[in-house]
Amino acid sequence: MTLHEELLARLGDPGMEQLAGMLGTDQHTARFVLQTVSGTIVGGLARNTRDLDGAEALRAALDDHADADPFNGDVASLMRDGQNILGHVLGGRGMEEAATVISRLAGVDPAAVMKILPLTAPMVMTLLATLAGDHDMDAEEVATLIDQESKALPDEVRTVVDDLLADIYGPTAYQRGYGNPLPGGTGPYGESLPGGGPYGEPLPGGAGPYGESLPGGAGPYGEILPGTTGVHGEPLPP
């Protein structure tokens, strides 16, 4: 069973009905959206783990998701975790590009897909963490697994995902610099690190979820702290 099949199985009919309701469509279309979303996330991870540093960073992050249960978790917490993961895998513009393309092909609202993306990301991370833990995989083995999973999609979905990732990353620019955490804060996939640097970790004056300078500060998963900024850098009242 592939990761994408496992994701569908874990959600089951009730989960797919809920997903279809969020998208305002039928379950067949919802399945296409979910496969395309999960395929885009896994494909992004595969590109980032072609570098050993990126693979080691992801392997460390999977340990932080090993005991999570995103299939029964709090939606707000899942959204925060998912935004953090996607911010580093796809970037803000990449998320918007993915939502635009997937929604156009599926005939659904882009805003609904923007909600599905961060809900799906922690599920993908937890399923990968389970596979890596069950088979005692090291970083290189995890990178191989993700590469295999990125290709284990139905042909029609894989074509969409490949074209989408080429638009997001460019035809050759597959490594976005993740996996090079500086001392401090959080690593590129939300893992805890001692110190501070440009991956969302605390710095004087704070940093936004994509490394931009912001007044105040933000928690390690992009959560809002008193008197700071929202997860996309928008100012909030103190």
Side-chain angles (χ1 to χ4, degrees):
M1 180 180 291
T2 68
L3 181 146
H4 308 288
E5 291 169 341
E6 178 69 16
L7 176 60
L8 290 168
R10 290 287 297 272
L11 287 171
D13 288 339
M16 290 307 299
E17 287 177 5
Q18 185 176 7
L19 181 64
M22 291 176 66
L23 292 167
T25 189
D26 57 80
Q27 287 197 42
H28 177 76
T29 302
R31 182 188 180 98
F32 169 79
V33 170
L34 182 63
Q35 286 183 314
T36 309
V37 164
S38 66
T40 301
I41 295 168
V42 172
L45 291 172
R47 287 171 182 249
N48 291 338
T49 53
R50 292 178 187 177
D51 178 274
L52 181 57
D53 287 341
E56 290 177 343
L58 177 59
R59 183 65 187 90
L62 292 180
D63 287 339
D64 289 346
H65 289 81
D67 297 325
D69 184 9
F71 297 93
N72 296 292
D74 173 67
V75 172
S77 297
L78 288 178
M79 291 287 285
R80 287 193 296 268
D81 190 18
Q83 289 281 1
N84 185 67
I85 295 165
L86 292 171
H88 292 290
V89 175
L90 302 177
R93 290 182 180 178
M95 290 170 61
E96 292 179 0
E97 176 78 10
T100 299
V101 171
I102 295 170
S103 64
R104 183 177 69 245
L105 293 173
V108 297
D109 186 351
V113 179
M114 281 293 284
K115 293 179 180 178
I116 301 301
L117 277 159
L119 288 175
T120 305
M123 297 178 186
V124 169
M125 290 289 283
T126 295
L127 291 176
L128 287 173
T130 300
L131 286 169
D134 287 349
H135 298 281
D136 196 23
M137 294 182 179
D138 61 20
E140 292 185 0
E141 290 169 328
V142 166
T144 299
L145 167 68
I146 293 172
D147 185 61
Q148 292 171 344
E149 291 290 350
S150 71
K151 299 171 182 175
L153 287 166
D155 289 342
E156 66 275 12
V157 176
R158 184 178 173 188
T159 299
V160 172
V161 169
D162 286 347
D163 290 346
L164 178 54
L165 290 172
D167 288 342
I168 293 172
Y169 290 95
T172 59
Y174 58 81
Q175 176 47 272
R176 299 173 64 87
Y178 306 127
N180 302 299
L182 299 182
T186 58
Y189 300 103
E191 67 274 25
S192 298
L193 297 170
Y199 291 94
E201 59 271 29
L203 290 172
Y210 308 113
E212 67 275 24
S213 298
L214 297 171
Y221 295 100
E223 67 271 28
I224 299 165
L225 298 178
T228 79
T229 58
V231 294
H232 297 293
E234 68 275 23
L236 297 172

